[in-house]
Amino acid sequence: MSTPGAIAVYTSGSGVPEHVSERPWRGVYQHWDGYPSGLGQHLMARVQRAQGDMQSVVRQLIDEAPWGWSHCMPGPDAPEGDRISEENAGPRVAPDETGMVAYVYVFDLEARRLDAFSTCVGDDGKRLCSVVFSQTGTPDLRALDLLPEETVDEPLLPGKELSAKELQAWLEGLPTLGTDSTSLHWLDTQQGPDDALAITFRVIIYEDGSIRDVLEREWDAVPPSARLEPERVRNFLEALVDVVSEDPRRLDPFWISAQDTLRRSGARQRESFAKVLRAHWARDFGSAA
């Protein structure tokens, strides 16, 4: 997850550039999880939480962190992120200096837009996608890297707001996930400060009858909006079990905790979620289900 990215803001010009160097910008280095599904999604969430105040997002992420970030996304040991100090400043990033990052995200404050560029080898700075925010922070896309399977919008499944306790009970009722060498255990659920529900789970790896490794992850799985559609959440969890059961390699705690379908897609039915998850596996690991 240490794929670096850059967070930037245009300093002049207008329009949507097709290459990262077409318009002047200034920005800072971000070391961890620079992918569109990581840093890109986090930047979109920042604008939404700021209720459209993109200037405040730029101030917090760029002006107040001039030496860059180890990670600006919340983590268990650093809820507000981890700024890099002047003594250990991150690499410089600029329109003509993108060799140290794989992705660049540039805010256009006047147009209320976020442009994403890929500076990975082979892409050479081309624009991947752009998202435009309303005055209150609502994006016109759910994600910067939507797969075709994620573009589905299915009818709402409203119900009584899902609690962390109810989610825990659902998890305990799901079929067991595991093989002779690997097992997954649901540990805990909790409500976060933004009213999302997080799931903590553990994957245990065995070798010759003994425990070789234990990996524990906190998964920010259920956004506040999805809590108002409990059957949607249930369908997603059941689809996850279906898809992981198809291939033991999918008992990967890092892959599971990276799945963000309840935010990224308008899918609501079990089979639709399964298609999304299979498509993500194929994209991430280059093989179809």
Side-chain angles (χ1 to χ4, degrees), residues 144-162:
L144 291 163
D145 59 342
L146 284 177
L147 297 171
E149 292 81 359
E150 293 178 299
T151 59
V152 62
D153 275 295
E154 295 176 326
L156 295 171
L157 297 173
K160 182 181 178 181
E161 185 176 50
L162 181 65

Side-chain angles (χ1 to χ4, degrees), residues 124-204:
D124 301 321
K126 71 179 182 182
R127 184 174 66 91
L128 291 177
C129 188
S130 297
V131 58
V132 177
F133 298 89
S134 72
Q135 292 292 330
T136 57
T138 302
D140 63 353
L141 294 174
R142 288 191 178 93
L144 291 163
D145 59 342
L146 284 177
L147 297 171
E149 292 81 359
E150 293 178 299
T151 59
V152 62
D153 275 295
E154 295 176 326
L156 295 171
L157 297 173
K160 182 181 178 181
E161 185 176 50
L162 181 65
S163 69
K165 183 177 180 179
E166 290 168 324
L167 178 60
Q168 180 72 38
W170 286 2
L171 292 169
E172 292 171 356
L174 289 173
T176 301
L177 282 172
T179 67
D180 291 341
S181 61
T182 310
S183 62
L184 183 147
H185 306 268
W186 306 110
L187 299 182
D188 187 35
T189 59
Q190 58 183 343
Q191 181 174 324
D194 62 350
D195 292 331
L197 297 181
I199 298 170
T200 302
F201 67 94
R202 178 182 296 150
V203 170
I204 301 176

Side-chain angles (χ1 to χ4, degrees), residues 12-214:
S12 63
S14 62
V16 183
E18 292 303 321
H19 192 272
V20 71
S21 64
E22 284 184 19
R23 282 183 61 183
W25 51 262
R26 61 182 178 87
V28 296
Y29 176 83
Q30 148 83 22
H31 180 68
W32 184 73
D33 196 6
Y35 295 102
S37 58
L39 178 58
Q41 202 70 14
H42 176 73
L43 295 178
M44 291 177 62
R46 282 266 191 164
V47 176
Q48 291 176 276
R49 287 202 299 268
Q51 298 182 326
D53 186 356
M54 296 175 70
Q55 183 66 64
S56 72
V57 175
V58 167
R59 182 174 61 253
Q60 293 165 7
L61 295 181
I62 300 176
D63 300 337
E64 295 178 6
W67 314 114
W69 296 87
S70 292
H71 62 91
C72 68
M73 292 166 274
D77 301 320
E80 300 301 325
D82 185 9
R83 290 179 175 86
I84 298 175
S85 66
E86 183 176 3
E87 292 75 19
N88 300 294
R92 181 177 183 270
V93 290
D96 60 348
E97 290 188 55
T98 59
M100 298 301 294
V101 296
Y103 298 93
V104 178
Y105 303 91
V106 191
F107 286 102
D108 187 320
L109 297 180
E110 184 176 347
R112 306 192 59 79
R113 192 183 69 248
L114 177 64
D115 296 331
F117 301 89
S118 174
T119 51
C120 297
V121 175
D123 286 342
D124 301 321
K126 71 179 182 182
R127 184 174 66 91
L128 291 177
C129 188
S130 297
V131 58
V132 177
F133 298 89
S134 72
Q135 292 292 330
T136 57
T138 302
D140 63 353
L141 294 174
R142 288 191 178 93
L144 291 163
D145 59 342
L146 284 177
L147 297 171
E149 292 81 359
E150 293 178 299
T151 59
V152 62
D153 275 295
E154 295 176 326
L156 295 171
L157 297 173
K160 182 181 178 181
E161 185 176 50
L162 181 65
S163 69
K165 183 177 180 179
E166 290 168 324
L167 178 60
Q168 180 72 38
W170 286 2
L171 292 169
E172 292 171 356
L174 289 173
T176 301
L177 282 172
T179 67
D180 291 341
S181 61
T182 310
S183 62
L184 183 147
H185 306 268
W186 306 110
L187 299 182
D188 187 35
T189 59
Q190 58 183 343
Q191 181 174 324
D194 62 350
D195 292 331
L197 297 181
I199 298 170
T200 302
F201 67 94
R202 178 182 296 150
V203 170
I204 301 176
I205 301 172
Y206 304 90
E207 188 174 283
D208 298 328
S210 300
I211 295 176
R212 191 191 79 191
D213 203 359
V214 177

Side-chain angles (χ1 to χ4, degrees), residues 256-267:
I256 292 173
S257 63
Q259 301 314 303
D260 201 21
T261 309
L262 291 171
R263 290 179 178 83
R264 292 170 56 93
S265 176

